[in-house]
Amino acid sequence: MMMPSSSSPTVTTVLGPVPVHRIGLTDAHNHVWINPPDGVAPGAPVLNDYEASLRELLLFHQAGGSALLDFQPYGCGRDARILQKLARESGVHFIACTGFHLRKYYPPESPLWGLSAGAACDLFVREITRGTEETLSEKDATPAQAGFIKAACEATLEASPRHLFEAAASAARQTGAMVAVHTEKGASAERIVDFFQRQGLPPGRLMLCHIDKRPDPGLHQELARAGVLLEYDTFFRPQYHPEERLWPLLEAMGKADLLGSIALATDLADLSMWASTGKGPGLASLPSLIRARLLQRGFNPAGVQAMLGENVLQRLAG
């Protein structure tokens, strides 16, 4: 569990708590291991080649990457035992999540959807305070605690599992964990923030993911000033026109002095986008290409450092 202190706040990684000052550049949203359970609909991401994952992480680390948030929760392909092994062999810090993903990434009979709000909250709290289910259930495994809670919003908030959102809010209140919300192209962002506020969780405990797919500077500035952390990750997704949308959005947020409310990521849950396969920019693009371009475009070095780790690490550490 996160154990902030006045002298040395820490972040919970799969290998244990690590002081924030010992963690550098951090990818705020990614996936490095997904082994979907039987029954998942075709088309779900698959990342279950250990050697490919390790090669990709070594490239990330060699380029200056220090840590990443892994966004695969229990029941849809996560294995924190693998994350522990990858962390040891690559030197990259992993912050795993509890919580839930979109319904389409689970088999129809997944027990998650039948849990009450209270039972789901207990699961989330247990994974944060004691260890992830797969590491607790294996006799000789070292428990790996989750470092944050993921909640996935469907196309609308109404279509999302309200009881699991309530469970995420309750678990966050009990543990102090950050809640990172998957949005569908930024949809329902305002309502998501309002929902969690009504559940007693202030905006400063929230990160909204993929929000740059809705590149409205006015909305982003309003959310940032309310205290929400905004995660941007469409740098290498041409269908979202990053040159015309993401980069101008970043510049607008910089002019508004709101770079302290942004966390950057690459979210490359696809082997075709990994450098280790010879096909894509890869995880190393964040500490190399993206960081270099931010500086070339005149972003303040302190602001770049904040967006590339400091902002999200401060939220994780409470």
Side-chain angles (χ1 to χ4, degrees):
M1 183 178 176
M2 289 161 289
M3 300 291 291
S5 72
S6 58
S7 59
S8 184
T10 63
V11 169
T12 299
T13 78
V14 296
L15 296 181
V18 177
V20 170
H21 71 266
R22 287 179 49 197
I23 303 177
L25 188 143
T26 300
D27 190 316
H29 188 130
N30 233 306
H31 304 262
V32 295
W33 183 264
I34 306 174
N35 192 24
D38 293 340
V40 173
V46 178
L47 296 173
N48 59 7
D49 182 332
Y50 182 86
E51 293 304 322
S53 294
L54 179 58
R55 288 195 303 271
E56 192 68 23
L57 287 164
L58 289 171
L59 291 172
F60 174 72
H61 193 248
Q62 290 162 9
S66 178
L68 62 81
L69 279 66
D70 187 273
F71 266 74
Q72 204 69 17
Y74 175 70
C76 60
R78 184 193 71 193
D79 192 331
R81 296 165 299 186
I82 298 292
L83 296 182
Q84 288 176 317
K85 186 178 179 182
L86 285 168
R88 293 189 189 100
E89 295 194 27
S90 69
V92 175
H93 299 291
F94 285 94
I95 300 97
C97 71
T98 186
F100 60 98
H101 208 333
L102 297 172
R103 188 180 293 269
K104 66 182 179 181
Y105 295 127
Y106 296 83
E109 68 277 9
S110 174
L112 177 67
W113 310 106
L115 295 178
S116 67
C121 175
D122 290 344
L123 168 63
F124 302 161
V125 170
R126 183 167 62 252
E127 290 209 311
I128 293 168
T129 59
R130 292 182 54 203
T132 54
E133 292 293 284
E134 61 270 30
T135 60
L136 291 178
S137 61
E138 186 173 308
K139 182 178 179 181
D140 297 325
T142 301
Q145 294 165 265
F148 67 102
I149 302 167
K150 174 175 182 171
C153 185
E154 302 282 350
T156 66
L157 190 56
E158 291 77 13
S160 306
R162 181 183 176 90
H163 68 295
L164 294 183
F165 269 81
E166 291 174 349
S170 179
R173 291 196 306 270
Q174 292 182 46
T175 64
M178 177 185 79
V179 177
V181 185
H182 166 97
T183 70
E184 286 288 287
K185 302 178 184 179
S188 301
E190 308 95 316
R191 301 193 62 195
I192 290 167
V193 175
D194 180 65
F195 172 87
F196 279 106
Q197 282 189 293
R198 287 186 282 107
Q199 293 289 318
L201 200 70
R205 302 276 293 284
L206 296 176
M207 180 167 78
L208 293 183
C209 301
H210 318 306
I211 192 74
D212 54 322
K213 294 177 183 177
R214 186 180 169 189
D216 178 345
L219 170 67
H220 286 237
Q221 291 170 22
E222 180 180 352
L223 292 169
R225 292 188 176 112
V228 179
L229 185 61
L230 308 173
E231 185 261 299
Y232 298 172
D233 57 35
T234 60
F235 294 97
F236 301 109
R237 299 182 184 274
Q239 66 269 38
Y240 297 112
H241 309 285
E243 295 300 325
E244 296 81 19
R245 298 177 181 177
L246 172 54
W247 286 101
L249 175 63
L250 277 167
E251 290 176 348
M253 295 297 281
K255 289 177 181 176
D257 197 24
L258 292 172
L259 298 185
S261 297
I262 297 170
L264 300 183
T266 52
D267 189 23
L268 303 179
D270 187 334
L271 281 174
S272 69
M273 300 186 76
W274 282 14
S276 59
T277 65
K279 298 178 180 179
L283 303 183
S285 60
L286 190 68
S288 58
L289 301 177
I290 294 171
R291 182 179 180 277
R293 189 167 181 193
L294 287 164
L295 294 171
Q296 288 167 2
R297 291 178 75 112
F299 285 88
N300 184 303
V304 172
Q305 186 171 324
M307 292 189 290
L308 292 176
E310 288 181 356
N311 294 338
V312 71
L313 292 171
Q314 288 171 3
R315 304 293 178 111
L316 290 169

